[in-house]
Amino acid sequence: MTVPAPSSVPGSTVTSLGSAHVLLTGGTGFVGQAILERLLSSHPDTTVTLLIRPKAGTSALARLRHLLKKPVFASWRERVGADEVERALTERLRVVESSLGALPALPSDLDVVIHSASTVSFDPPIDQAFDTNVGGAVGLYEALVAAGGDPHVVHVSTAYVGGIRKGVFPEAALRHDVDWRAEHAAARDARARVEAASRQPETLRGFLAEGRAGHGKTGPQAVAAAAEEARVAWVAARLVDYGRTRAETLGWTDVYTLTKAFAERAAEQIWAAEGHRLSVVRPAIVESALRHPYPGWIDGFKVADPLIMSYARGLLPEFPGVPDSVLDIVPVDYVVNVILAVAANPAGASSARDDDAVGAAAGAAAPASAPEPQYFHVASGNSNPFPILRMFDNLKTFFTANPLPRDEHTNIPVPTWDFPGVRKVEGAIRTAQRANDWRERVLVRLPSTTRTRTALTGVQTRRADLESLQSLTDLYRHYVQSEIIFDDRRTRALHDGLPEEAPADIGFDVTDIDWEDYFQTVHFPSITAMTRAFSVRPAAAGAVLDARALPRRTDVVAVFDLEGTVLDSNIVEQYLWVRSNGFRKAAWPAEVASLLTGLPAYLRAEGRDRGEFIRAFLRRYAGMPVSRLKGVVRSAGYAETVRRHTLPEALARIAEHRAAGHRTVLVTGSIGTLATPIAHLFDEVVASTMHERDGVLTGYLAQPPLVDEARAAWLAQWALEEGIDLSGSYGYGDSHADLAWLEMLGNPSAVNPDANLAREALRRRWSIRDWSRARGSSASGTSTAPAVGTTSKGEGDRV
């Protein structure tokens, strides 16, 4: 659909801002950086005041100095030299250190204000979107009114403030009667309401259940942290949904375009209605530069780029868009050129004025009546349309010729889109998510092996891919099915009025853009280079075994869990070893039957809490004389059993640590006496002790078992007392219950991990070690590690 442009007068557009004093907001953002570069490089007589907030302990001025080192300013820096850059910092550039929410007094001698600051997200929580886009605009225009000057304001909006509509959207004020102030107040109240709802008992119980299911074995603090994390995520998700839904009920695509529309209304009512000059520039989808400062310049991913790279990585098997829908893209340098041309040509200004007459004189009062606000669309859909089907053809052409590598030997094949419609695409995503969830449920119930861990990594990668695909579908739904056409006749007239001698790179005629050349030679190469897309990435197996030699140190510790890590056994087997060595064979069948009968209850306890399981199971020792237990442990039969179940690779690793001067500590939630045959391998054994009465075990522990978070608390205190550097220390554990203390150490290893610990280790890129009796040495004990003897340094219990 084409809208004819009106006739224009050649040479009537002013191209210079002369010596204007310009206030720029959003100067650290994508478009703002490009505006600042143009002011510095092409308008050398201007003075620029930037509104910059301090960030992470960095002052606003320091942020500006860092900003000027970015690639967008490279050509300007090289052309003018270091001395001129420094002069610009001290003479041309001024900094107001503040955010838009709480502005100090602004200069009264401003000639032009370019307001380009806004949120960079389509889908933020509703209160954040309103505070940034609407609250920021309100704060700025109220501060400008208070300053008493009469600058020409160029308000940078978005073409998509037109909302969900079909057909031509004119370059004019939005027509709606929504009370934007009431909506702003409601958005602010939304967080308080959602926060209150998240703290209701019934809601909190759900978060606690979720925390226990995922982190119950790690400890109560881990459960609490997970529950609170779930609550915060729930609040954010509700506020995002609140914004999206409210926007759609009012006729806008999302909360971003809704709040940008309300920001326009704030500019009209607070600034223009008071007799001041206002111009609104509405860019469509802004992407990399076509010409200036150099072809392909871009600062981070922009609107279309996640879709482009997801396609290249094979993550978009289908697309929810309409093939004939226009993807309205415009290069960033065209947007900047329009903004500065509009800034230099306020409504009602004489075309015969000289270049120094831009804006009002410093301190001048507002005119009795100012011209109506003017609106400019910077868009391509009307004059040089680029439909989504054509974008797909460009994507397929480029990434077929330049496929992204999957690994060193294979490339990622790109899909072919059939455009089945958004409902079918979303249905396919939901089906794939259910299948992936089912596969994960199966995998976490299987024994943790290299094969199952690789499969689990694939599940996690698949979940991330599907979540990304769902997010892209939600975010871009309206944009890729849009039937809106942005009238650009006023913008074309402004371009047609440029002097014939004007440099080509300050033009903004979108009909000059060859889309195939732009995407194939400029934009696609730019974003793939920015992301290093063509570099080969590590395989998805994730965790990498750290095989480096151990450094010689005396201020670090190597902490080893016992069951499943040093011993190929658990406390149930240890109990059976004791029973088989110390009791009559006639009693053995009854003991096994009793153990099998109690097994379901033990498994349930183990699933809930490791400490609960240990307490329950160790009750089986009730009535056993202490002397008998010690006699069994000292016997050759028990020691030989322990030797057979000691993992050779664990012995070798212990020896490596001791050779490097590291302190070695064995920690177990079981009875320390049972570890006597291997106690001599460690500098310290930390274990549970059992309560006894008159030389007989009562079946109760003397202190709480040292597991999960209790072990972490002990380790922190012990390291402080002993002068141990935990950040340089090592840990070896096999259970998800070990997570709390493993994550305290700088070099954690998951040894024969259960599925949940394996999942965490893969996510955190920890070492994963598979130790078994089949590797490292023979069953007879011929290993480079110390042999397991029958003598010990005593029970070694310490709690």
Side-chain angles (χ1 to χ4, degrees), residues 76-125:
W76 171 71
R77 291 196 309 266
E78 292 172 6
R79 178 166 57 83
V80 303
D83 290 344
E84 178 61 23
V85 171
E86 191 61 31
R87 189 191 73 81
L89 276 165
T90 56
E91 297 180 16
R92 287 188 61 193
L93 299 177
R94 304 172 185 175
V95 175
V96 174
E97 189 169 273
S98 175
S99 63
L100 282 170
L103 283 173
L106 295 178
S108 60
D109 64 342
L110 295 171
D111 300 307
V112 175
V113 173
I114 301 175
H115 177 44
S116 70
S118 72
T119 181
V120 296
S121 172
F122 280 173
D123 233 8

Side-chain angles (χ1 to χ4, degrees), residues 527-651:
I527 62 171
T528 52
M530 179 179 64
T531 60
R532 300 179 182 176
F534 293 106
S535 61
V536 177
R537 291 172 172 77
V544 177
L545 182 63
D546 185 356
R548 293 174 298 177
L550 296 173
R552 290 196 59 80
R553 294 182 62 174
T554 58
D555 63 337
V556 299
V557 66
V559 183
F560 290 81
D561 184 44
L562 178 62
E563 295 82 11
T565 304
V566 175
L567 294 185
D568 181 20
S569 70
N570 53 49
I571 66 172
V572 176
E573 290 178 278
Q574 292 167 16
Y575 173 76
L576 293 175
W577 298 346
V578 170
R579 284 295 193 181
S580 64
N581 278 278
F583 285 80
R584 294 176 292 106
K585 291 184 178 179
W588 188 245
E591 185 65 33
V592 172
S594 171
L595 184 61
L596 292 174
T597 301
L599 190 59
Y602 294 143
L603 291 175
R604 287 193 296 272
E606 169 73 6
R608 290 189 298 268
D609 183 282
R610 179 72 175 169
E612 180 183 344
F613 163 68
I614 289 173
R615 290 185 178 94
F617 190 82
L618 292 184
R619 292 291 299 275
R620 302 188 75 88
Y621 284 92
M624 181 181 294
V626 175
S627 59
R628 177 176 293 179
L629 176 61
K630 291 182 177 180
V632 168
V633 169
R634 287 194 297 267
S635 69
Y638 180 85
E640 172 62 18
T641 301
V642 171
R643 187 194 66 76
R644 289 200 312 270
H645 285 270
T646 303
L647 300 175
E649 286 158 306
L651 294 175

Side-chain angles (χ1 to χ4, degrees), residues 97-306:
E97 189 169 273
S98 175
S99 63
L100 282 170
L103 283 173
L106 295 178
S108 60
D109 64 342
L110 295 171
D111 300 307
V112 175
V113 173
I114 301 175
H115 177 44
S116 70
S118 72
T119 181
V120 296
S121 172
F122 280 173
D123 233 8
I126 189 171
D127 61 318
Q128 293 179 16
F130 268 85
D131 285 346
T132 302
N133 290 343
V134 182
V138 170
L140 173 64
Y141 298 129
E142 288 180 344
L144 287 174
V145 170
D150 181 35
H152 171 209
V153 168
V154 180
H155 179 100
V156 182
S157 185
T158 173
Y160 290 95
V161 292
I164 306 171
R165 69 174 72 206
K166 297 181 179 181
V168 176
F169 174 43
E171 291 173 297
L174 290 169
R175 298 178 61 182
H176 69 82
D177 56 2
V178 180
D179 185 342
W180 62 270
R181 294 183 187 274
E183 292 296 328
H184 190 186
R188 285 180 165 176
D189 290 344
R191 179 168 291 274
R193 295 197 301 273
V194 174
E195 288 280 1
S198 75
R199 289 174 168 83
Q200 295 300 308
E202 57 273 17
T203 313
L204 291 173
R205 277 191 286 269
F207 301 144
L208 275 173
E210 183 180 337
R212 290 192 185 102
H215 302 275
K217 291 183 67 173
T218 309
Q221 289 301 308
V223 170
E228 178 60 12
E229 184 179 334
R231 188 197 67 80
V232 171
W234 184 86
V235 168
R238 288 290 295 269
L239 290 171
V240 167
D241 184 56
Y242 193 136
R244 182 188 299 134
T245 305
R246 185 56 181 148
E248 291 186 6
T249 60
L250 292 173
W252 276 273
T253 55
D254 47 47
V255 73
Y256 170 76
T257 58
L258 174 72
T259 53
K260 293 292 279 187
F262 290 168
E264 285 191 15
R265 189 53 45 89
E268 293 159 357
Q269 293 183 356
I270 299 173
W271 185 249
E274 295 299 314
H276 300 286
R277 293 160 297 166
L278 173 68
S279 297
V280 177
V281 176
R282 295 171 176 159
I285 299 172
V286 186
E287 291 293 348
S288 62
L290 179 62
R291 298 189 184 96
H292 189 89
Y294 55 83
W297 173 75
I298 195 169
D299 187 63
F301 267 6
K302 303 307 158 195
V303 174
D305 303 333

Side-chain angles (χ1 to χ4, degrees), residues 358-643:
V358 177
S369 61
E372 289 295 313
Q374 53 184 359
Y375 301 82
F376 298 86
H377 287 161
V378 193
S380 59
N382 177 53
S383 302
N384 189 6
F386 185 67
I388 284 175
L389 181 60
R390 193 169 163 192
M391 170 60 99
F392 165 68
D393 290 339
N394 273 271
L395 284 170
K396 191 169 181 65
T397 297
F398 183 83
F399 289 108
T400 297
N402 306 279
L404 302 191
R406 187 190 306 279
D407 51 44
E408 294 181 355
H409 307 291
T410 61
N411 294 321
I412 300 173
V414 293
T416 297
W417 290 341
D418 293 324
F419 299 97
V422 66
R423 289 184 181 85
K424 288 187 177 180
V425 171
E426 290 182 339
I429 294 172
R430 287 192 296 270
T431 299
Q433 287 173 329
R434 286 193 294 268
N436 198 60
D437 290 344
W438 177 85
R439 190 171 185 226
E440 182 181 41
R441 286 194 296 271
V442 171
L443 287 171
V444 296
R445 285 166 173 77
L446 295 175
S448 178
T449 65
T450 301
R451 185 173 180 179
T452 58
R453 288 197 295 271
T454 300
L456 193 59
T457 301
V459 166
Q460 291 174 318
T461 301
R462 179 66 170 157
R463 171 178 290 107
D465 291 346
L466 289 169
E467 287 175 352
S468 176
L469 181 55
Q470 183 64 64
S471 177
L472 291 172
T473 301
D474 292 341
L475 282 175
Y476 296 106
R477 174 196 307 271
H478 296 294
Y479 297 91
V480 297
Q481 300 179 76
S482 175
E483 296 183 41
I484 191 172
I485 301 296
F486 303 116
D487 177 14
D488 61 345
R489 69 181 70 198
R490 189 190 298 269
T491 303
R492 282 186 283 152
L494 190 66
H495 176 273
D496 291 343
L498 290 172
E500 292 183 359
E501 68 275 11
D505 71 351
I506 71 166
F508 40 90
D509 182 1
V510 293
T511 63
D512 287 343
I513 302 174
D514 180 330
W515 289 119
E516 275 64 34
D517 180 69
Y518 173 73
F519 282 107
Q520 300 296 318
T521 68
V522 176
H523 189 61
F524 292 163
S526 175
I527 62 171
T528 52
M530 179 179 64
T531 60
R532 300 179 182 176
F534 293 106
S535 61
V536 177
R537 291 172 172 77
V544 177
L545 182 63
D546 185 356
R548 293 174 298 177
L550 296 173
R552 290 196 59 80
R553 294 182 62 174
T554 58
D555 63 337
V556 299
V557 66
V559 183
F560 290 81
D561 184 44
L562 178 62
E563 295 82 11
T565 304
V566 175
L567 294 185
D568 181 20
S569 70
N570 53 49
I571 66 172
V572 176
E573 290 178 278
Q574 292 167 16
Y575 173 76
L576 293 175
W577 298 346
V578 170
R579 284 295 193 181
S580 64
N581 278 278
F583 285 80
R584 294 176 292 106
K585 291 184 178 179
W588 188 245
E591 185 65 33
V592 172
S594 171
L595 184 61
L596 292 174
T597 301
L599 190 59
Y602 294 143
L603 291 175
R604 287 193 296 272
E606 169 73 6
R608 290 189 298 268
D609 183 282
R610 179 72 175 169
E612 180 183 344
F613 163 68
I614 289 173
R615 290 185 178 94
F617 190 82
L618 292 184
R619 292 291 299 275
R620 302 188 75 88
Y621 284 92
M624 181 181 294
V626 175
S627 59
R628 177 176 293 179
L629 176 61
K630 291 182 177 180
V632 168
V633 169
R634 287 194 297 267
S635 69
Y638 180 85
E640 172 62 18
T641 301
V642 171
R643 187 194 66 76

Side-chain angles (χ1 to χ4, degrees), residues 28 45 50 331 336 372 441 452 525 550 674 691 698 763 795:
T28 59
D45 296 324
L50 295 111
V336 172
E372 289 295 313
R441 286 194 296 271
T452 58
L550 296 173
L674 301 179
H691 178 262
T698 63
R763 185 177 68 84
E795 292 182 20

